[in-house]
């Protein structure tokens, strides 16, 4: 434990670490400012979507009228036309509700419309809205109504929990890996390249302690970055954003059916998956760095392993493989949102096992490490 | 036994850099390692401290295997300044060593005062000059009062005043019972520190006592140069004459007293006598005559 404080100090006092934290804070602030600036766009986009649907409905209506002119007794066309008129009526109601605070009324109308479109399509209509999309949107609206939760924009939300999810989605989409590579990219190799590791190797320290302290330094640096990230989101989101709720539902697929996960669950499970992957990445980095002894080749090997592993395992659909696949948390949204015959936590044991193996190999290697 | 190196062999790219090195030091002393660049001085020190693996041989320091990291409680190794962390202060480095080696932190002040670096020890290393870095490296290796001190080019980057103070500290440590092994190119400094020199040549060490090979070179101005030359020629003494008219001879050819006697016998007055010690450098030139100091094995 004597080495760890020294290593950690080396890390946090480095220019790279300060710059990384500043960039993270700046990015979070910039994202929030963007969300604030784009608030009017939410309504504009909603109105545009409705106008597009109205335009589509008008076009379909003309088709039905044309067919009825040719065959006035066509009952199916009559029925389709009536359904479409009802949908157009609903679309106009929704359009009027978009600019108001009556979100419950709007959701009820939206669901009535979705039901109307589904019925219309089942009756032979060709409204360009996929059934699965209809079902998903309908279920989400129902859930929001049941829980009395105001719907939030998925891209420009100012609600604190939704904003937090939005930021963490960047982290869950390779952001954590990029951040970790910047953090630990030269943790060991730079000291091997510039020979500063000789300082540690000529102290009365057990060599395995050097690896252990580097390992914990990397984990501590990762936790520090996460804490700064969460603090920034919390300060900005809670002071300048809307209250929102961490119970906000996120639609997932579970064993072929639609289910829900709350934002707090999504964030917690995602953070656990990503963090488990980061621990393995640290161990793998230490293992590679001691064998390759160069920053560039070590990073190339590390990123190559992750990329190839992810690409290769995407093609394996065997369900049991979820227990053996350490690459699934490279983009953890996938195992979180699609739990068809699998569970989000199934990749954790293999990551833990691999971390122990790579850490053990690194400890073994440093015992015979020589620096000329 | 303080240092026990037996038949140490180290091959690099099919070439023996060290080819059967033996070092045995039983009592505290200052020992110099001398050789051209790439002759294997640093390699030997790195092998002794387990930074490099070697192909054959055995190394024990203070009775312990060199692979036992606990030797570093009593063995310090001054390396080049690349081992320093630029964004930390000198104090951070010293504090870390104190923590690892269970040394009271009060010792930092003692050492920095002794070396004369108290004024900048709390500055970041990136702001240090070459000499200041060398001072810090020295502080880092003496803070634990080692029994064995290995120094790789300890006087690099030091101005003459600092070099004198470092030399003084090394001599004090030696008097306190520390064995010092230093590699250096500065043959003049070696002459001032020690008479025990290991010349590293062709992968082996040639132990020399400079007392055996050292000589004084005298520069003498006389009242009658022509007559003095005649006298010396008559006596078959080897000597030179400088452009300024000084007679130059070494005491291995002629003692100063004999020279004075010769001059007195012929009523020649000595106007000025200077002398210069020539030891390591002379032996170095004898051993490495024709060796290109820069065209050597890269390690």
């Amino acid at each position: 434990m004597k080495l760890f404080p020294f290593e950690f100090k080396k890390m946090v006092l480095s220019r790279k670490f300060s710059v990384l934290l500043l960039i993270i804070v700046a990015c979070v602030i910039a994202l929030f400012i963007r969300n604030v600036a784009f608030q009017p766009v939410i309504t504009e986009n909603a109105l545009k979507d409705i106008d597009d649907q109205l335009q589509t409905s008008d076009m379909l209506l003309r088709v039905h009228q044309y067919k009825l002119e040719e065959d006035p007794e066509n009952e199916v066309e009559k029925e389709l036309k009536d359904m479409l008129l009802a949908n157009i009526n609903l679309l106009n109601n929704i359009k009027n509700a978009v600019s108001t605070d009556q979100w419950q009324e709007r959701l009820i109308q939206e669901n009535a419309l979705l039901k109307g479109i589904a019925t219309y399509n089942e009756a032979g209509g060709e409204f360009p809205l996929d059934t699965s999309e209809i079902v998903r949107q309908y279920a989400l609206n129902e859930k929001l109504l049941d829980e009395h939760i105001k719907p939030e924009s998925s891209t420009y939300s100012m609600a604190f929990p939704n904003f937090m999810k939005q930021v963490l989605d960047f982290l869950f989409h390779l952001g954590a890996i990029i951040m970790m590579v910047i953090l630990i990219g030269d943790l060991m190799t730079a000291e091997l390249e510039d020979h500063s590791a000789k300082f540690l190797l000529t102290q009365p320290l057990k060599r395995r302690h050097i690896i252990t302290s580097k390992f914990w330094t990397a984990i501590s640096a990762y936790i520090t970055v996460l804490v700064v990230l969460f603090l920034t989101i919390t300060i900005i989101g809670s002071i300048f954003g809307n209250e929102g709720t961490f119970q906000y539902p996120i639609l997932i697929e579970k064993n072929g059916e639609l289910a829900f996960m709350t934002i707090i669950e999504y964030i917690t499970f995602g953070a656990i998956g990503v963090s488990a992957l980061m621990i393995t990445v640290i161990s793998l980095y230490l293992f590679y760095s001691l064998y390759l002894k160069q920053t560039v080749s070590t990073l190339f090997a590390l990123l190559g392993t992750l990329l190839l592993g992810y690409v290769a395992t995407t093609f394996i659909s065997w369900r049991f493989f979820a227990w053996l696949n350490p690459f699934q948390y490279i983009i953890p949204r996938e195992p979180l949102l699609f739990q068809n015959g699998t569970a989000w936590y199934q990749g954790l044991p293999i990551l833990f096992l691999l971390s122990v193996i790579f850490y053990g190999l690194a400890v073994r290697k440093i015992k015979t490490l020589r620096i000329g | 036994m303080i240092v026990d190196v037996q038949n140490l062999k180290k091959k690099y790219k099919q070439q023996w850099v060290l080819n059967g090195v033996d070092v045995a030091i039983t009592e505290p002393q200052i020992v110099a390692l001398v050789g051209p660049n790439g002759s294997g001085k640093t390699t030997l020190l790195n092998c002794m401290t387990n930074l490099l693996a070697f192909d054959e041989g055995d190394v024990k320091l203070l009775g312990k295997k060199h692979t036992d990291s606990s030797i570093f409680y009593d063995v310090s190794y001054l390396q080049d300044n690349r081992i320093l962390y630029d964004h930390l202060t000198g104090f951070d480095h010293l504090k870390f060593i104190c923590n690892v080696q269970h040394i009271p932190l009060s010792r930092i002040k003692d050492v920095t005062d002794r070396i004369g670096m108290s004024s900048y020890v709390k500055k970041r290393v990136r702001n240090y000059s070459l000499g200041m870095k060398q001072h810090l490296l020295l502080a880092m290796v003496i803070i634990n009062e080692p029994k064995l001190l290995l120094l790789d080019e300890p006087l690099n980057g030091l101005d003459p005043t600092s070099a004198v103070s470092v030399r003084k500290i090394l001599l004090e440590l030696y008097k306190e019972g520390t064995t010092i092994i230093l590699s250096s190119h500065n043959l003049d400094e070696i002459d001032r520190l020690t008479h025990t020199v290991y010349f590293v040549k062709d992968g082996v060490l040639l132990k020399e006592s400079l007392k055996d090979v050292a000589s004084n070179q005298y520069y003498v101005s006389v009242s009658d140069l022509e007559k003095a030359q005649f006298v010396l020629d008559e006596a078959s003494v080897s000597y030179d004459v400088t452009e300024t008219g000084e007679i130059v001879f070494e005491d291995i050819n002629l003692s100063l007293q004999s020279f004075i006697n010769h001059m007195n016998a012929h009523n020649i007055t000595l106007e000025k006598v200077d002398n210069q010690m020539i030891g390591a450098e002379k032996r170095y030139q004898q051993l490495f005559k024709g060796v290109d100091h820069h065209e050597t094995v890269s390690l």
Side-chain angles (χ1 to χ4, degrees):
Chain A
M1 281 307 284
K2 291 163 195 158
L3 186 52
F4 169 72
F6 183 69
E7 286 292 332
F8 189 60
K9 192 171 185 179
K10 263 163 52 185
M11 167 75 84
V12 295
L13 289 183
S14 69
R15 203 166 283 171
K16 177 185 68 181
F17 190 75
S18 319
V19 170
L20 181 67
L21 287 186
L22 280 175
I23 289 173
I24 287 171
V25 171
C27 286
V28 173
I29 293 171
L31 188 66
F32 189 81
I33 291 172
R34 184 203 73 146
N35 284 5
V36 173
F38 277 73
Q39 282 305 299
V41 177
I42 299 172
T43 313
E44 285 171 22
N45 284 349
L47 289 171
K48 189 175 171 298
D49 284 347
I50 295 166
D51 284 340
D52 287 347
Q53 288 183 350
L54 279 170
Q55 231 170 5
T56 309
S57 301
D58 280 343
M59 192 188 73
L60 290 170
L61 192 62
R62 280 201 294 276
V63 172
H64 292 311
Q65 279 170 342
Y66 176 75
K67 284 183 180 173
L68 282 171
E69 279 169 17
E70 284 188 342
D71 180 10
E73 300 306 317
N74 189 331
E75 289 300 319
V76 175
E77 285 302 320
K78 272 185 192 170
E79 196 179 356
L80 285 173
K81 184 186 166 189
D82 292 342
M83 285 180 193
L84 202 54
L85 283 170
N87 288 349
I88 289 170
N89 194 30
L90 284 167
L91 274 168
N92 284 318
N93 291 344
I94 295 167
K95 193 175 178 181
N96 293 331
V98 162
S99 309
T100 67
D101 283 337
Q102 296 169 322
W103 61 269
Q104 282 156 317
E105 183 57 32
R106 182 183 157 189
L107 288 184
I108 291 167
Q109 299 273 8
E110 258 183 31
N111 274 4
L113 174 68
L114 290 167
K115 213 182 232 176
I117 292 172
T119 316
Y120 170 78
N121 282 349
E122 276 168 19
E126 290 177 349
F127 196 88
L129 199 58
D130 188 49
T131 310
S132 66
E133 185 55 36
I134 292 171
V135 172
R136 294 174 72 85
Q137 189 59 51
Y138 186 90
L140 180 62
N141 288 352
E142 281 290 302
K143 181 75 176 173
L144 289 168
L145 284 166
D146 288 349
E147 304 278 333
H148 304 288
I149 297 171
K150 186 183 171 188
E152 291 289 339
S153 161
S154 57
T155 41
Y156 306 117
S157 176
M158 279 180 66
F160 166 46
N162 298 66
F163 177 63
M164 181 177 274
K165 177 186 174 289
Q166 190 184 16
V167 175
L168 292 180
D169 269 338
F170 283 107
L171 198 73
F172 297 166
H173 274 93
L174 303 177
I177 290 175
I178 292 166
M179 186 183 82
M180 188 52 80
V181 164
I182 294 169
L183 269 179
I184 65 165
D186 57 357
L187 183 69
M188 191 75 220
T189 46
E191 295 199 18
L192 296 172
E193 283 172 329
D194 68 14
H195 288 206
S196 54
K198 284 158 83 176
F199 170 54
L200 299 179
L201 294 174
T202 51
Q203 292 299 319
L205 294 163
K206 295 214 180 309
R207 289 189 169 199
R208 70 167 186 273
H209 290 169
I210 296 174
I211 287 297
T212 308
S213 66
K214 297 272 183 201
F215 179 76
W216 285 111
T217 296
I219 289 178
S220 306
Y222 171 68
I223 292 170
T224 307
V225 171
L226 281 192
V227 168
V228 170
L229 180 67
F230 274 100
L231 275 177
T232 312
I233 298 168
T234 306
I235 291 167
I236 292 172
S238 57
I239 295 176
F240 302 105
N242 305 327
E243 192 180 352
T245 173
F246 280 101
Q247 297 306 312
Y248 195 92
I250 294 167
L251 202 58
I252 65 167
E253 277 182 30
K254 199 161 192 174
N255 303 325
E257 291 179 1
L258 292 180
F260 291 96
M261 182 185 270
T262 61
I263 277 191
I264 192 70
E265 286 172 336
Y266 178 84
I267 289 172
T268 308
F269 299 160
I272 290 172
V274 168
S275 299
L277 178 70
M278 290 306 109
I279 291 169
T280 309
V281 166
I282 293 166
S283 301
L284 185 61
Y285 165 81
L286 289 171
F287 166 72
Y288 276 141
S289 66
L290 290 171
Y291 277 90
L292 300 171
K293 297 182 184 176
Q294 283 185 325
T295 304
V296 175
S297 48
T298 299
L299 292 182
F300 191 75
L302 179 70
L303 293 173
T305 304
L306 295 175
L307 181 69
L308 288 175
Y310 181 73
V311 172
T313 51
T314 335
F315 298 107
I316 300 172
S317 53
W318 181 37
R319 283 180 181 177
F320 185 77
F321 189 64
W323 289 106
L324 307 172
N325 182 9
F327 302 103
Q328 58 190 294
Y329 299 114
I330 288 176
I331 298 177
R333 274 172 59 89
E334 302 285 323
L336 285 175
L337 299 185
F338 303 99
Q339 300 185 43
N340 293 316
T342 59
W344 69 271
Y345 52 79
Q346 279 179 304
L348 298 180
I350 186 72
L351 283 176
F352 176 74
L353 182 66
L354 286 174
S355 299
V356 172
I357 289 172
F358 289 127
Y359 173 80
L361 289 171
V363 166
R364 193 173 160 178
K365 179 62 185 170
I366 200 170
K367 286 181 181 169
T368 55
L369 178 73
R370 301 291 186 270
I371 309 170
Chain B
M1 188 77 92
I2 297 168
V3 176
D4 184 15
V5 177
Q6 291 178 9
N7 194 32
L8 183 68
K9 290 186 178 180
K10 167 75 182 168
K11 197 191 278 184
Y12 188 78
K13 290 184 181 170
Q14 306 305 316
Q15 193 172 347
W16 289 106
V17 181
L18 301 173
N19 194 3
V21 167
D22 293 298
V23 184
I25 298 174
T26 53
E27 57 186 41
Q29 57 184 294
I30 301 179
V31 174
L33 288 174
V34 179
N37 287 335
S39 60
K41 300 185 299 292
T42 304
T43 303
L44 174 59
L45 293 176
N46 284 342
C47 287
M48 286 170 68
T49 50
N50 196 29
L51 289 175
L52 271 180
F54 44 83
D55 300 287
E56 285 179 41
D58 192 33
V59 175
K60 281 186 180 167
L61 304 178
L62 303 168
K64 288 181 181 174
K65 286 281 287 180
H66 73 303
T67 48
D68 182 348
S69 65
S70 72
I71 60 168
F72 294 111
Y73 282 112
D74 294 309
V75 177
S76 289
Y77 180 21
L78 184 148
Q79 303 158 70
D80 59 75
N81 62 37
R82 288 180 300 172
I83 69 161
L84 299 174
Y85 299 106
D86 276 356
H87 54 285
L88 298 185
T89 66
F91 187 83
D92 290 330
H93 288 80
L94 295 169
K95 188 180 166 191
F96 168 67
I97 295 170
C98 286
N99 287 338
V100 169
Q101 304 203 25
H102 315 292
I103 301 164
L105 291 180
S106 57
R107 177 106 179 98
I108 295 176
K109 188 176 183 317
D110 298 341
V111 170
T112 51
D113 285 349
R114 185 177 188 180
I115 292 177
M117 55 176 296
S118 302
S119 59
Y120 56 83
V121 70
K122 291 196 173 170
K123 286 184 181 168
R124 291 194 181 197
V125 172
R126 71 163 69 103
N127 300 317
Y128 283 20
S129 67
L130 200 59
M132 288 154 94
K133 285 181 181 173
Q134 208 65 19
H135 277 155
L136 174 59
L137 289 171
L138 186 66
M140 286 161 63
V141 292
I142 69 170
I143 197 164
N144 60 342
E145 299 174 313
K147 291 184 181 130
L148 174 61
L149 184 52
L150 308 173
L151 309 165
D152 192 8
E153 302 286 350
L155 303 167
N156 260 5
L158 292 181
D159 58 58
T161 315
S162 300
V164 169
S165 73
V166 169
R167 199 168 60 230
K168 186 168 160 269
I169 290 166
L170 294 180
L171 286 169
E172 283 171 4
L173 288 168
Y174 162 60
K175 282 175 192 164
E176 288 163 13
T178 302
T179 295
I180 298 170
I181 300 178
L182 67 117
S183 80
S184 178
H185 286 113
N186 193 330
L187 300 172
D188 185 42
E189 289 296 339
I190 285 171
D191 269 341
R192 289 164 200 258
L193 276 168
T194 181
H195 284 128
T196 308
V197 175
Y198 281 94
F199 288 99
V200 188
K201 187 167 192 276
D202 301 328
V204 294
L205 297 191
L206 306 172
K207 187 181 179 185
E208 299 274 355
S209 171
L210 289 187
K211 283 177 187 158
D212 301 334
V213 294
S215 66
N216 270 312
Q217 198 166 41
Y218 292 100
Y219 292 76
V220 186
S221 298
V222 292
S223 56
D224 188 336
L225 179 61
E226 277 188 28
K227 195 174 176 183
Q229 282 182 279
F230 178 77
V231 170
L232 292 172
D233 289 341
E234 280 288 298
S236 301
V237 171
S238 172
Y239 70 95
D240 279 318
V241 178
T242 66
E243 286 178 4
T244 54
E246 288 173 314
I247 295 169
V248 183
F249 64 93
E250 290 180 28
D251 63 359
I252 53 168
N253 300 318
L254 177 70
S255 72
L256 182 61
Q257 191 55 53
S258 300
F259 182 84
I260 293 168
N261 292 343
H262 278 298
M263 296 300 116
N264 285 346
H266 295 86
N267 293 323
I268 302 168
T269 314
L270 272 65
E271 293 174 342
K272 186 182 163 195
V273 179
D274 284 330
N275 81 317
Q276 189 184 333
M277 179 84 173
I278 55 165
E281 187 165 349
K282 180 184 168 191
R283 186 70 181 123
Y284 185 93
Q285 283 168 352
Q286 287 171 350
L287 279 170
F288 300 106
K289 198 172 181 181
V291 174
D292 181 349
H293 296 183
H294 301 289
E295 200 278 305
T296 47
V297 184
S298 60
L299 295 176

